[in-house]
Amino acid sequence: MKPAISPILYAVLLFLGMLLLLEAGRQLGILRGSSASEAERSGLNTVENAVLALFGLLMAFTFSGAAVRFNEKRILIADEANAIETAYLRLHLLPVNEETKLQALFREYVDSRLSTYRTLPNLEAARGSMAETTRLQKQIWTDAVPATQLSKSHPDAGKLLLPALNSMFDISTTRTMALQNHPPKIVYGLLFALGLLCSLLAGYRMANGKRRSWLHILTFIVITVSIVYVMLNVEYPRAGLIRLESADRFLVLVRQGMD
């Protein structure tokens, strides 16, 4: 699924916003510098530390959730590859003619699965491949059920093949759901707003210095923006720099084994 906003655009806007708010906070601090006592300034530490802590916690929890979902997506790819391979091997329980016919359908099925994930993160473009997957699932099931009841089939063909087909079909639904399993968009809006607020407070605190410390300014902004950018790429692994092609290789190998 595509993110609501491009990760790189989100990062650029956050970078510019934090830079502007740091400067705005510094100018505000300079304006109030002459009227604010040292006791008043030190009393602001509690509020500043609380806001920075909240920002850090939100980033940590969001990044942790993104990493968990990324791992789940990779595991689901391996699970689907295993489910397809198991069902394919159990076609040997059927008569040769039925086995050959279903093997051809299996090859089409895996091709449709690979096509689906090659068109992501554009979910709309992938719907055609998803529809083909659904059609093939129905066709495979329709052909497999009577085939398991033939006299030349293994006596336990139905008990072994049909549950394997169920597992193969179910994992495709699970993977489709995983594509849409993301935090609400308001979480990223809150992360953006807190980043700007922290920049404003940091700029206000930096007003004590006579000169801007670009080292501290850029370090704070670049590290924050980089973490958020990587987090968005992990959350949407098919939309940015981080990809799942290495995990998709498992399905490719299964397809090659069918030739």
Side-chain angles (χ1 to χ4, degrees), residues 68 70-82 171 247:
V68 169
F70 179 77
N71 263 339
E72 287 176 349
K73 289 182 178 72
R74 294 199 301 176
I75 291 171
L76 285 173
I77 294 173
D79 287 345
E80 181 169 26
N82 288 333
I171 196 67

Side-chain angles (χ1 to χ4, degrees), residues 10 27 33 41 82 92 95 169 209 213 219 257-258:
Y10 186 97
Q27 294 301 324
R41 283 180 174 275
N82 288 333
H92 294 312
F169 300 156
S213 176
T219 298
M258 294 178 177

Side-chain angles (χ1 to χ4, degrees), residues 52-63:
L52 287 169
L54 285 171
F55 182 55
L57 280 172
L58 181 60
M59 286 186 65
F61 283 123
T62 308
F63 203 120

Side-chain angles (χ1 to χ4, degrees), residues 133-149:
T133 294
T134 302
R135 184 193 69 79
L136 287 168
Q137 287 176 348
K138 293 177 180 177
Q139 187 63 51
I140 289 171
W141 184 262
T142 300
D143 291 351
V145 171
T148 59
Q149 299 170 353

Side-chain angles (χ1 to χ4, degrees), residues 96-169:
V96 175
N97 289 341
E98 298 299 325
E99 178 187 357
T100 302
K101 182 169 66 173
L102 283 166
Q103 283 177 338
L105 288 174
F106 263 66
R107 286 190 282 271
E108 290 182 43
Y109 180 78
V110 178
D111 287 340
S112 74
R113 299 299 294 150
L114 289 170
S115 176
T116 296
Y117 294 103
R118 283 169 183 155
T119 55
L120 292 174
N122 190 340
L123 196 57
E124 291 300 321
R127 293 196 187 280
S129 297
M130 289 180 179
E132 177 66 7
T133 294
T134 302
R135 184 193 69 79
L136 287 168
Q137 287 176 348
K138 293 177 180 177
Q139 187 63 51
I140 289 171
W141 184 262
T142 300
D143 291 351
V145 171
T148 59
Q149 299 170 353
L150 295 174
S151 59
K152 293 184 179 180
S153 297
H154 189 279
D156 293 327
K159 296 178 182 177
L160 296 173
L161 176 59
L162 299 184
L165 291 178
N166 271 327
S167 297
M168 183 177 83
F169 300 156

